[in-house]
Amino acid sequence: MDTREYLPISAVAEVLFCPRNFFYRAVEGAEETNHHMLEGRFQDERRNERRTRSEDGRVQTRQVSLSSDALGLRGVLDVLEAAEGELYPVEFKKGRAEHRLNDDVQVCLQGLLLEEATGRDVAYGYVYYVASAERRQVFLDESLRETALQALAAARAIREAGEPPPLAAVPEAKCQGCALAERCMPEESAFLTGAQAAPRRPTPGSNLGRTLYLDVPGAALRKRQGRLIIEADGQTLKDVPLSAVDQVVISQAASLSSAALSALSDLGIPLYLMGHGRVRSWLQPSWNKNVPLRRAQYRFVESDTQSLAVAREIVRGKILNQRTFLQRGNRERKIDRIQGVVERLDGLAAAAKEAEDKDSLRGLEGLAGRLYFSGFAQLLRAGEGFDFASRNRRPPRDPVNALLSYAYSLLTKDCINAIIRAGLDPYLGLYHCERYGRPALALDLMEEFRAIVADSVVLNVINRGIIKADEFEPVFDGIQLKDGGRKRFFGAYQTRIREEAVHPVFGYRVNYLRLMEIQARYLGKVMQGEWLTYEAFRAR
């Protein structure tokens, strides 16, 4: 069996532009795109509608695949052109003409593969710049060939090292507009090492949290001409463009067309199936291929010392956020009992930081939870018909617990999504025990956001009268929210996760959905040893 690893030419050329870019693309399998890359891809699709073309004595063949056993290299030539007895590659770039060494190296490597495939010398190639409609000739002289082979050797060295090159090797200007900035986090890394001041607020990510909820029993989800359609009883209930959807959540029995599933998969849109207050399963497009990170996660979890350090920080962050949530709610009420709980939570958070093992940490978290919910009950507006004594579940037996379960299931879904986007395994946790079917790492991550996001939504819909006490119905031995109420609750949750908060370490404001992803990536970089210690999200 041939086990040779063939590096892609386009990735090798990236080594000269940004070694970290090469690492993420060629080692971690990153496939993130931005509008520059999408525009270039659309230009390629338009050009490739015709396989061959003849013009002014030149014969062009598009999308020619080549590989080299000797170099361990593979690539696809945008255009293989023949003219006046010569054969040479033409590489298309969407921008304006300028001299870039990595473009020259890309053409040179294509030329080397062409020489091996045809047995003919290739003296030159071209780069065609679409924006300025200019064609630049690249001569494959000895100097460029040597540079190209050095780039190939450097790429192999990074591949074998299996870890991202140091940030100092990357000029800052190249990070602007990079599609991998969310994964690389160059400014955050420089800030943590003291190399620069606080990082700038990140640009909006590709995941804006635009969620399509399918909550009508018997409804059907279909795709029609670039749009998602929800139909029930012969009526169209929802009609939205695919480009305006980041997630699909199905919480009732429904049907999906194969065309809709294919479109979600092609566009990297995850689909979650929810029910009975939990995430039942999900369909995740296979875009994350980050095996090195998951290996680092497995090693990290096996280390009692490292996993305990992160578990302490997670629990400490959770308790401090519970304290902050109660403080905010009690700011005008001035209830002595809540103030007493706040002071005790302070002590428990300090104790969590020094916990000797995870069992004692769970004891502290349990005690903090009982105290916290006794304070939470005091924040519910009297006269609304909502009584809350303590947390119960599976199934919830009162309206407040039913709402808390809904909120936690939605939060679990978003934490799973953040973890998968970061490339981690959601089932292998640091604090929550490994159990069949349990997304333990997602449960770890959501501890930091339970009070500030989920409990906040529940308190808001009750105290503002968005959900009334008579909008629940019994089911088996529990209770659940009726259809109309669920729709308003989903809306309240969506509003909350789009609100912004300040990241406690980096100091910029981003929405809660992005905060979850940043925390997941933060955890991944600690697991890979790129960042030293994990710090939980703590609300101010």
Side-chain angles (χ1 to χ4, degrees), residues 411-422:
L411 185 59
T412 304
K413 176 259 299 177
D414 284 331
C415 287
I416 289 171
N417 194 41
I419 287 168
I420 291 176
R421 286 175 64 83

Side-chain angles (χ1 to χ4, degrees), residues 485-501:
R486 281 201 304 274
K487 183 176 181 181
R488 295 195 299 279
F489 189 81
F490 291 152
Y493 178 83
Q494 284 301 113
T495 299
R496 182 59 176 161
I497 61 170
R498 288 174 182 163
E499 290 175 353
E500 294 186 345

Side-chain angles (χ1 to χ4, degrees), residues 50-70:
R50 292 174 61 185
R51 171 75 171 167
T52 60
R53 180 179 178 184
S54 298
E55 186 177 82
D56 298 332
R58 298 183 301 213
V59 178
Q60 295 183 337
T61 305
R62 301 183 183 278
Q63 293 293 290
V64 177
S65 297
L66 295 173
S67 64
S68 166
D69 293 336

Side-chain angles (χ1 to χ4, degrees), residues 451-462:
I452 298 300
V453 174
D455 299 351
S456 173
V457 173
V458 173
L459 195 67
N460 183 50
V461 298
I462 291 176

Side-chain angles (χ1 to χ4, degrees), residues 332-387:
E332 295 181 357
R333 292 179 173 86
K334 310 291 185 188
I335 300 173
D336 291 341
R337 183 174 174 183
I338 293 180
Q339 183 57 36
V341 170
V342 166
E343 291 169 4
R344 292 189 66 184
L345 289 178
D346 258 334
L348 290 172
K353 190 177 180 180
E354 306 299 330
E356 294 182 353
D357 52 48
K358 292 181 184 176
D359 285 339
S360 58
L361 201 54
R362 292 186 184 101
L364 292 168
E365 187 215 352
L367 176 57
R370 288 191 291 277
L371 285 169
Y372 164 73
F373 279 114
S374 71
F376 178 85
Q378 301 294 310
L379 296 178
L380 297 171
R381 196 167 72 182
E384 295 296 326
F386 288 94
D387 295 320

